[in-house]
Amino acid sequence: MKAISVLTSGGDSPGMNAAIRAVVRKAIYHNINVYGIYQGYAGLISGNIKKLELGSVGDIIHRGGTMLYTARCEEFKTLEGQKKGIEQLKERGIEGLVVIGGDGSYKGAQKLTEHGFPCIGLPGTIDNDIAGTDYTIGFNTALHTVLDSIDKIRDTATSHERTFIIEVMGRHAGDIALWAGLAGGAETIIIPEIDTTIDDVANRIRQGQERGKKHTIIIVAEGVCSGMEFAKQLKEKTNLDTRVSVLGHIQRGGSPTAFDRVLASRLAGRAVELLIEGKAGRAVGMEKSEIVDYSFDEVFSMPHKIDESMYRLSKELSI
Ligand code: ADP
């Protein structure tokens, strides 16, 4: 393999830069040229592709976002778009591609591999919603950001003896809500994977107040409903006034944690090795601290699960 390429696609996440850096450095270490594709699959189609050197990825390991920018690209979902992309790569003598993104980005990488162009996927998303890895790149950093906000909101919630509803990201997955809720000592965690009724929540708030709790913190995953919608339903049921905090895009930014930088570096290093070994159509992940890889089909067929024992524990600890 003489030349490979790397792109970031879909939603950005902290640690993508550390992954790009590791792809570039590992490839150059093995005397392979590396090209950066800017703006995801859109840049692949339009040929926004530049050769990267060791110095191109200097001073980015600690930065959030992605130096290659990211985009969503409808044209790439078509066969014509995919063929244009492959032409751009072949024109430059590029023989492999590392795609850093979520499951939509994996679908694109799978298509290219099916057309004979070797791709490897790395899980880059804060949502932790990709199967075949215990953690996605960016999840840990997002968790720290959410936790910092919960801690701050707790201060004001206690002072005013208020109930706060905090809406967090996660798309269809409840991982951010569950982990941040457990770490932040939230009274109630509402996630898509587990049905919770407004009556359950109202009862828990009532029991807490009877026991003398000064505040209540409720974490709502965006995959269930918005924080405002939840506050409305709670008000209708209990007449309780709440304050709603929507954390929004701050969860996507910030300097990646040590965990995310190490994860990104390890997964990216393995991605380059797989291409050197002649493998294609695989997604790299980490399970029980071991670096693993699965075919894209395996990743799509495995359900993403949350750890229900963590959910039960959070309920036991917040009585
Ligand atoms: P994420 O990768 O974070 O899940 P998206 O679902 O928006 O984000 O996917 C990112 C990009 O991947 C899309 O804009 C599109 O270019 C490409 N993509 C998504 N699904 C497919 C598909 N079925 N076939 C080809 N490309 C796809």
Side-chain angles (χ1 to χ4, degrees):
M1 194 148 285
K2 297 266 187 315
I4 64 166
S5 54
V6 55
L7 64 77
T8 48
S9 165
D12 65 312
S13 70
M16 280 184 160
N17 276 328
I20 295 165
R21 171 182 176 271
V23 168
V24 172
R25 297 262 165 104
K26 175 98 177 177
I28 294 176
Y29 178 84
H30 288 282
N31 295 315
I32 298 169
N33 288 326
V34 197
Y35 289 81
I37 299 166
Y38 290 76
Q39 291 150 339
Y41 292 123
L44 178 58
I45 290 176
S46 68
N48 194 356
I49 302 171
K50 293 186 190 100
K51 190 158 177 274
L52 300 175
E53 308 296 343
L54 288 174
S56 313
V57 290
D59 206 25
I60 63 163
I61 195 167
H62 62 301
R63 292 187 204 279
T66 158
M67 66 163 274
L68 293 176
Y69 304 99
T70 182
R72 294 200 158 89
C73 173
E74 281 305 308
E75 190 186 351
F76 198 72
K77 293 184 180 170
T78 66
L79 179 62
E80 209 196 349
Q82 293 153 17
K83 292 218 157 134
K84 273 191 208 164
I86 292 178
E87 255 166 53
Q88 295 285 6
L89 293 162
K90 289 201 166 152
E91 264 172 30
R92 292 165 177 82
I94 299 168
E95 297 162 288
L97 169 64
V98 178
V99 170
I100 309 167
D103 51 5
S105 304
Y106 277 14
K107 290 247 162 68
Q110 184 182 38
K111 288 276 158 54
L112 290 182
T113 307
E114 282 167 9
H115 304 323
F117 196 89
C119 291
I120 301 292
L122 296 182
T125 165
I126 63 166
D127 303 325
N128 211 40
D129 59 351
I130 298 183
T133 188
D134 292 341
Y135 305 107
T136 56
I137 298 165
F139 171 63
N140 185 267
T141 306
L143 213 48
H144 281 266
T145 304
V146 172
L147 191 56
D148 183 52
S149 299
I150 295 176
D151 291 347
K152 286 176 174 145
I153 287 169
R154 177 190 279 278
D155 288 344
T156 172
T158 308
S159 304
H160 288 275
E161 305 185 33
R162 270 183 183 143
T163 297
F164 263 87
I165 294 167
I166 305 175
E167 178 194 316
V168 302
M169 284 183 164
R171 283 209 305 181
H172 306 295
D175 293 57
I176 294 178
L178 178 58
W179 281 70
L182 182 57
E187 274 70 26
T188 300
I189 301 169
I190 321 270
I191 52 176
E193 293 85 350
I194 293 178
D195 286 333
T196 314
T197 66
I198 291 286
D199 282 327
D200 289 344
V201 179
N203 284 338
R204 283 180 73 80
I205 295 173
R206 210 170 299 121
Q207 282 163 10
Q209 283 169 344
E210 280 164 16
R211 213 168 50 69
K213 276 205 182 210
K214 294 285 181 224
H215 64 263
T216 302
I217 292 177
I218 301 170
I219 311 289
V220 181
E222 66 177 354
V224 176
C225 67
S226 71
M228 290 305 286
E229 172 60 28
F230 192 79
K232 196 173 129 233
Q233 289 178 22
L234 200 59
K235 171 84 180 168
E236 280 164 11
K237 199 88 195 178
T238 62
N239 204 30
L240 184 72
D241 279 320
T242 55
R243 295 289 185 278
V244 178
S245 212
V246 181
L247 300 189
H249 281 79
I250 61 163
Q251 295 164 89
R252 288 259 192 95
S255 178
T257 58
F259 183 91
D260 273 331
R261 296 182 204 189
V262 172
L263 178 69
S265 302
R266 291 182 72 193
L267 299 189
R270 183 68 189 130
V272 175
E273 280 171 9
L274 285 169
L275 285 174
I276 292 171
E277 289 166 15
K279 307 252 174 65
R282 316 234 10 120
V284 188
M286 186 180 76
E287 288 178 336
K288 299 186 172 69
S289 297
E290 298 286 328
I291 304 303
V292 295
D293 58 274
Y294 291 98
S295 72
F296 287 127
D297 268 338
E298 284 172 313
V299 171
F300 298 141
S301 64
M302 287 187 280
H304 165 73
K305 286 194 242 144
I306 56 135
D307 185 340
E308 291 196 13
S309 71
M310 261 177 69
Y311 179 82
R312 286 195 297 276
L313 179 64
S314 79
K315 278 190 111 166
E316 288 163 9
L317 300 187
S318 61
I319 45 171

